[in-house]
C-alpha cells in the first residue's frame, strides 16, 4: 500500500510482500532471457500503472480506473511493439539506475521531493521523492543512462535483455530485503536505504553481475542443446 504522511508518498510493503518481491526479482535475475517478452510486458504494465497513478490527478476519472488504463495501455503496446517497448524500458531503467547511483554519491542533497499539482483545487497534493534532477551531475547521469539504455537496446538486443532484466531483478531483490529488514528493526527506525545507500548500491552491482553471468550461461546451454537436437534429428 501507499502511505501518505504530510503529503509525501512512501511505499509500505508488508513482510509477505517483501518475500514476493524477492521471488519476482529472482525470476527476473535468472530467467530474464528465457521469458524476455513476458517480463518486458510485465515491466511496461507496471510502468504504465505508475504513470496512471501520477496522471490520475489530472484526469477526471476514478484513480483505480486511470491506473488500470495506464497499465493495460502500455502493457498492450509493448506486446505489439516489442523492440520499441524494450528500447523505452532500457532507457528508463538505465536512466533511473545511473541517476540513483549519482544521487547516492552526492548524499542527502542528491534527493528531492517532487510536488504533484492537483488541478481540481490548484493545490500540491502529493510529494514523490527521487533523485534531484536539478543537480547537474544527476541530470547528466539521467540523460546519459537514457541514451545508453536506448542505444544498447537497439544495437545489442540480446545483451540489453540480460542487462535490463538483471538490473530490475537486482533492484526488486534489494527492495524486498531492505523492506523486510526495516520491518524487523521496528517502527520509528529510518529506512535501510537511507542508512546504507552506498552498500546497497554495491550489492545491486554485484547482483547485476551475477544475473548477467547466469543468463549468459543459460543462453549458451540452450544453444548447445538446440545444436545437439538438430544433429540428432539429422542423424536420425
Amino acid at each position: 500500500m501507499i502511505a501518505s504522511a504530510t503529503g509525501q508518498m512512501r511505499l509500505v510493503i508488508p513482510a509477505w510482500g517483501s518475500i514476493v518481491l524477492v521471488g519476482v526479482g529472482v525470476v527476473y535475475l535468472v530467467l530474464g532471457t528465457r521469458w524476455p517478452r513476458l517480463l518486458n510486458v510485465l515491466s511496461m504494465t507496471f510502468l504504465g500503472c505508475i504513470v496512471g497513478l501520477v496522471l490520475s490527478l489530472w484526469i477526471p476519472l476514478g484513480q483505480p480506473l486511470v491506473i488500470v488504463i495506464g497499465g493495460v495501455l502500455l502493457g498492450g503496446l509493448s506486446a505489439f511493439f516489442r523492440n520499441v517497448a524494450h528500447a523505452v524500458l532500457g532507457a528508463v531503467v538505465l536512466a533511473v539506475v545511473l541517476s540513483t547511483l549519482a544521487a547516492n554519491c552526492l548524499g542527502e542533497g542528491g534527493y528531492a521531493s517532487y510536488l504533484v499539482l492537483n488541478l481540481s483545487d490548484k493545490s500540491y497534493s502529493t510529494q514523490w521523492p527521487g533523485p534531484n534532477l536539478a543537480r547537474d551531475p544527476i541530470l547528466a547521469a539521467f540523460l546519459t543512462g537514457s541514451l545508453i539504455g536506448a542505444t544498447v537496446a537497439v544495437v545489442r538486443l540480446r545483451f540489453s535483455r540480460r542487462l535490463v532484466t538483471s538490473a530490475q531483478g537486482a533492484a526488486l531483490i534489494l527492495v524486498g530485503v531492505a523492506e523486510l529488514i526495516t520491518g524487523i528493526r521496528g517502527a520509528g527506525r529510518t529506512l535501510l536505504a537511507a542508512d546504507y545507500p552506498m552498500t546497497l548500491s554495491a550489492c545491486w552491482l554485484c547482483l547485476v553481475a551475477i544475473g548477467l553471468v547466469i543468463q549468459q550461461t543459460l543462453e549458451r546451454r540452450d544453444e548447445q542443446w538446440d545444436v545437439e537436437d538438430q544433429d540428432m534429428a539429422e542423424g536420425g
Side-chain angles (χ1 to χ4, degrees):
M1 64 177 176
I2 296 179
S4 176
T6 65
Q8 184 163 353
M9 307 299 289
R10 172 168 128 64
L11 189 64
V12 180
I13 303 175
W16 64 265
S18 299
I19 296 174
V20 170
L21 278 182
V22 172
V24 174
V26 171
V27 171
Y28 269 84
L29 195 72
V30 176
L31 301 177
T33 53
R34 290 281 181 90
W35 305 327
R37 296 177 181 176
L38 174 61
L39 296 182
N40 271 353
V41 171
L42 289 177
S43 298
M44 291 298 289
T45 300
F46 175 77
L47 181 61
C49 290
I50 295 297
V51 172
L53 178 61
V54 175
L55 294 181
S56 62
L57 296 174
W58 284 273
I59 299 177
L61 294 174
Q63 187 182 68
L65 179 60
V66 177
I67 294 175
V68 171
I69 291 175
V72 171
L73 185 60
L74 275 187
L77 289 175
S78 65
F80 289 100
F81 303 98
R82 293 189 293 269
N83 291 341
V84 175
H86 181 73
V88 172
L89 185 61
V92 171
V93 169
L94 266 295
V96 171
V97 166
L98 292 189
S99 61
T100 301
L101 292 177
N104 289 340
C105 292
L106 292 179
E108 293 183 1
Y111 289 91
S113 294
Y114 295 91
L115 297 174
V116 178
L117 178 64
N118 189 344
L119 295 182
S120 62
D121 56 4
K122 302 297 183 181
S123 65
Y124 292 100
S125 58
T126 58
Q127 299 179 38
W128 293 86
N132 186 3
L133 297 180
R135 300 288 298 272
D136 181 62
I138 298 177
L139 180 59
F142 182 87
L143 296 177
T144 302
S146 300
L147 180 60
I148 293 176
T151 302
V152 172
V154 173
V155 178
R156 299 286 301 276
L157 180 60
R158 295 181 66 180
F159 173 74
S160 178
R161 286 173 174 170
R162 294 196 295 267
L163 178 62
V164 170
T165 52
S166 295
Q168 292 178 90
L172 288 173
I173 291 173
L174 287 180
V175 169
V177 172
E179 285 292 329
L180 191 61
I181 294 176
T182 300
I184 294 174
R185 294 169 74 186
R189 300 295 298 272
T190 57
L191 296 177
L192 192 68
D195 292 337
Y196 305 99
M198 298 304 294
T199 300
L200 291 177
S201 298
C203 291
W204 176 84
L205 289 172
C206 292
L207 287 175
V208 171
I210 292 172
L212 290 174
V213 172
I214 292 176
Q215 291 188 34
Q216 187 175 28
T217 301
L218 291 177
E219 274 191 352
R220 290 177 177 175
R221 181 181 298 177
D222 290 341
E223 292 174 355
Q224 183 179 359
W225 286 351
D226 290 340
V227 171
E228 292 177 354
D229 291 342
Q230 184 177 1
D231 292 341
M232 291 179 61
E234 292 175 354

